Amino acid sequence: MSANERSRLRQRYREGRLMYFLMRVALALIVGILGLIVGVIAWRGARELNWEMLTQPPTAGYYLGGGGGICNAILGSWWLAVGATFTAFLLSLPLVLFLNVYARRNGFINRLAVVTRLSLDILWGIPSIVYGIFGFALMLAVGLRASLLGGIIALTLVELPILARSLDEVLRLAPEELYTGTLALGATPLEYAQVLLRQAAPSVPTALLLAFGRGIGDAAAVLFTAGYTDRLPGGLLEPVASLPLAVFFQLATPFPATQARAYAAALVLTIIVLTTGVLGRALSARLSRYVVR
Amino acid sequence: MNSTGNLAPNRGASRGTFIQYRARHVISWVTGILFTSLSTLIVILVPALLGALLVRSWTLVSAIPLPRLLIGTEWRPLSGAFGFAPFIAGSLWVTAIALAVAVPVALLGAIYLAEYAHPRTRTSLKPLIELLAGIPSVVYGLWGILVIVPVVRQLAAFTRTDNPTGYSVLSGGLVLAVMVIPFILALSEEVLRAVPQGLREATLALGATQWEVVKHVLLRQARSGIIAAVVLGFARAFGETLAVLMVVGNVVQLPRSPFDAAYTLPALIANNFGEMMSIPLYDAALMTAALILFLIVFSFNFGARLVLRRVGGTDDVSQ
């Protein structure tokens, strides 16, 4: 090997090592920053967090630093996200069954399935503020004011593509033999759907928790549709508070004491979202032992 | 099944079984039609969104020609001046900065996770990154106010900017970059891993270093998928509302430097929607803003999804 070749080789290895180094730096940076976010929120929020904040609704002077808490927002967010996740689930279940059972045939119905999947992808990418505006326009059309129901409608639009896509991804993995085998036994497509659902069961909690976490953290969709109130959620047609908006509004006040409470609210929100995420993953790992592969 | 051994029961064997057989198929058929019509509703939802925005923005778009709206720099709703240029420019600035920071970092991280990392590292880091990608945007915004804005304020002191607050295009871009990094990383990792193993082995057998495999084969092979991932990241950054709104300053102007304050399209909608009723054309103007936002995000989404579908990765980030 000539000296020239050897230096060329060294050059190639040096480039590789440099890139390897940069990759590790990039990954360390990502993990570090994400850790920093959780760390900062936890550190600033924990100082403000107390029992009163979690269990009391705001009192009259709350935004000036008076007593009370964000119980209204926690409960409001809970009902918004539960309602939206439930509705989105009711809608996405028949949808994914259509995609994976009935659309297996060729022709028009199969083409419809392709377009449906593309539509879901596109809906998934639409910013939630657009859903917020669309939901608001929808509510104006039917004469509905800012309310829990309005918020649920908008959040359902946000969550539906998330839920439908993650369920669809699971059902698509079902082995072809399951389909042919079930049909060979004389089952109808609907009966195959039942078999398929058992197959998807382990992933349902994960998908639900994922969508729930998305819904509870989304602020832009509920900004005009759910409104905001200091009272506890009263009914479907009354406005409700939500945690992200509680963070946002408290931060927007000029009083440091109230701003500090936004940190606590953000910590509560982060804890809820991270818990649902961890829980979802753990549940699916535990339940997926009985799936046919 | 009946006594003669036929799969489909015949009338003679047992009337009850026959009716049951028919009933099961009729029920399955009817449910099929219900499910199919529901999925048609989902397909209609995209044009419905577009239609609703078009109808609601029509009063403004028909009064003032679209080019004038798009390049107009004046935003004075009280005197009927609606120029969207500052908001479009603000959104573009913030998105450009976010992508300039996020793409190299996310891509390097994705290459590492897909090609270099020990399987154990990958299986522990990937869920962690995905988990943290689920953090609500308002929390990212709060973090931006607590950490990014002070840093940018320090930096701004060294420049000749007339905006020393730190609430600027740069802050918005950095916060957004942190938000889209996990997203682009997860997508491009999927695309890279979808490249057939044989290509790696063949290239290594020719004497290439591992980095040369990545550079000459994998990145080339996965190029369209990675571009699609970046485009999706763009769409995401462009539509992000609260996190940007909280740190970008919200001043209606054409930003000239990264340290200038700006205003983005989603922030415009979020900040003003409550009070739109009293001023003529104001609500139509905000609907127009939503329409512009929708059209930009839609076209990028649509293109990127088509590419990803062809590439054939699972294209799913469980976020």
Side-chain angles (χ1 to χ4, degrees), chain A:
Chain A
M1 194 184 277
S2 73
N4 200 5
E5 274 175 315
R6 203 170 305 144
S7 90
R8 172 92 190 93
L9 194 60
R10 203 170 294 140
Q11 180 67 35
R12 287 168 56 200
Y13 274 107
R14 201 172 294 141
E15 187 186 324
R17 271 204 305 277
L18 175 70
M19 293 315 291
Y20 183 69
F21 172 72
L22 286 180
M23 282 176 216
R24 294 190 68 123
V25 168
L27 207 61
L29 201 69
I30 295 168
V31 174
I33 286 178
L34 291 173
L36 183 69
I37 292 175
V38 176
V40 166
I41 299 296
W43 180 60
R44 299 295 290 260
R47 285 191 295 188
E48 294 301 323
L49 198 63
N50 54 45
W51 196 240
E52 192 194 358
M53 272 210 75
L54 295 178
T55 55
Q56 304 276 311
T59 58
Y62 179 75
Y63 292 96
L64 307 170
I70 50 163
C71 176
N72 62 327
I74 297 175
L75 282 177
S77 261
W78 165 259
W79 284 119
L80 279 169
V82 165
T85 310
F86 181 70
T87 324
F89 184 62
L90 282 188
L91 289 172
S92 55
L93 206 57
L95 189 64
V96 294
L97 288 181
F98 160 74
L99 289 175
N100 289 287
V101 178
Y102 290 95
R104 293 183 75 111
R105 272 166 280 168
N106 290 326
F108 169 74
I109 220 162
N110 193 273
R111 231 167 297 153
L112 179 64
V114 172
V115 178
T116 307
R117 285 203 170 104
L118 188 62
S119 299
L120 280 177
D121 281 348
I122 287 165
L123 289 171
W124 183 84
I126 288 176
S128 63
I129 185 104
V130 173
Y131 284 122
I133 278 235
F134 181 68
F136 186 74
L138 220 61
M139 286 159 59
L140 280 185
V142 298
L144 197 65
R145 302 220 341 261
S147 58
L148 177 58
L149 184 62
I152 288 178
I153 293 174
L155 273 188
T156 301
L157 291 173
V158 175
E159 287 188 26
L160 179 66
I162 301 171
L163 206 49
R165 283 185 73 221
S166 53
L167 289 177
D168 185 37
E169 287 296 329
V170 177
L171 292 188
R172 279 172 112 170
L173 294 179
E176 181 69 21
E177 290 79 10
L178 197 67
Y179 177 67
T180 47
T182 314
L183 255 63
L185 289 173
T188 64
L190 185 64
E191 284 155 356
Y192 170 62
Q194 290 165 357
V195 174
L196 199 57
L197 277 187
R198 196 153 306 178
Q199 190 75 356
S203 310
V204 169
T206 319
L208 283 179
L209 285 171
L210 205 73
F212 179 86
R214 251 337 192 37
I216 209 164
D218 199 287
V222 294
L223 197 52
F224 325 112
T225 51
Y228 198 83
T229 170
D230 280 351
R231 289 185 301 143
L232 294 175
L236 265 184
L237 294 176
E238 284 179 35
V240 285
S242 49
L243 268 175
L245 292 186
V247 176
F248 185 59
F249 289 145
Q250 290 177 33
L251 213 56
T253 63
F255 309 104
T258 314
Q259 288 179 357
R261 288 171 170 179
Y263 307 156
L267 177 60
V268 174
L269 184 58
T270 310
I271 289 175
I272 294 177
V273 169
L274 290 186
T275 313
T276 49
V278 171
L279 214 63
R281 275 158 220 284
L283 265 181
S284 104
R286 180 165 278 267
L287 291 171
S288 58
R289 282 177 298 182
Y290 307 110
V291 169
V292 183
R293 280 182 218 281

Side-chain angles (χ1 to χ4, degrees), chain A residues 12-13 15-16 19-20 22-24 26-27 29-31 33-38 40-41 44 91 94-95 97-98 102 109 112 115-127 129-131 133-134 136-137 140 157 160 162 165 169 172 184 186-191 210 214 217 219-220 223-224 244-245 247-248 251 262-263 266 269-270 273-274 277-278 281, chain B residues 24-25 27-28 31-32 35-36 38-40 42-43 45-46 48-49 52-53 56 105 108-109 111-113 116 125 127-132 134-140 142-143 145-147 178 181-183 185 207-209 211-212 215 236 239 241-242 245-246 266 269-270 273 276-277 286-287 290 293-294 297-298 301-302 305-306 309 314-319:
Chain A
R12 287 168 56 200
Y13 274 107
E15 187 186 324
M19 293 315 291
Y20 183 69
L22 286 180
M23 282 176 216
R24 294 190 68 123
L27 207 61
L29 201 69
I30 295 168
V31 174
I33 286 178
L34 291 173
L36 183 69
I37 292 175
V38 176
V40 166
I41 299 296
R44 299 295 290 260
L91 289 172
L95 189 64
L97 288 181
F98 160 74
Y102 290 95
I109 220 162
L112 179 64
V115 178
T116 307
R117 285 203 170 104
L118 188 62
S119 299
L120 280 177
D121 281 348
I122 287 165
L123 289 171
W124 183 84
I126 288 176
I129 185 104
V130 173
Y131 284 122
I133 278 235
F134 181 68
F136 186 74
L140 280 185
L157 291 173
L160 179 66
I162 301 171
R165 283 185 73 221
E169 287 296 329
R172 279 172 112 170
T188 64
L190 185 64
E191 284 155 356
L210 205 73
R214 251 337 192 37
L223 197 52
F224 325 112
L245 292 186
V247 176
F248 185 59
L251 213 56
Y263 307 156
L269 184 58
T270 310
V273 169
L274 290 186
V278 171
R281 275 158 220 284
Chain B
R24 281 168 50 219
H25 278 270
I27 291 173
S28 171
T31 356
F35 288 6
T36 310
L38 189 81
S39 118
T40 321
I42 298 299
V43 175
L45 196 54
V46 177
L49 269 163
L53 293 178
R56 298 290 311 266
V105 176
L108 283 170
I111 295 173
Y112 182 81
L113 280 189
Y116 289 79
L125 273 187
L128 186 74
I129 291 173
E130 280 172 12
L131 194 66
L132 292 169
I135 292 178
S137 67
V138 74
V139 175
Y140 277 107
L142 177 58
W143 177 77
I145 291 177
L146 287 174
V147 177
V178 176
I181 279 176
F183 178 76
L185 188 150
T209 64
W211 166 247
E212 282 165 345
K215 187 167 79 171
R236 193 153 233 241
T241 309
L242 272 174
L245 184 158
M246 288 162 81
I269 303 169
F273 210 66
M276 62 182 203
M277 296 306 183
L286 293 178
M287 284 293 175
L293 183 64
F294 178 87
V297 170
F298 171 82
N301 258 320
F302 189 74
R305 286 296 169 191
L306 284 184
R309 244 155 228 291
T314 57
D315 84 345
D316 186 48
V317 193
S318 47
Q319 277 306 324

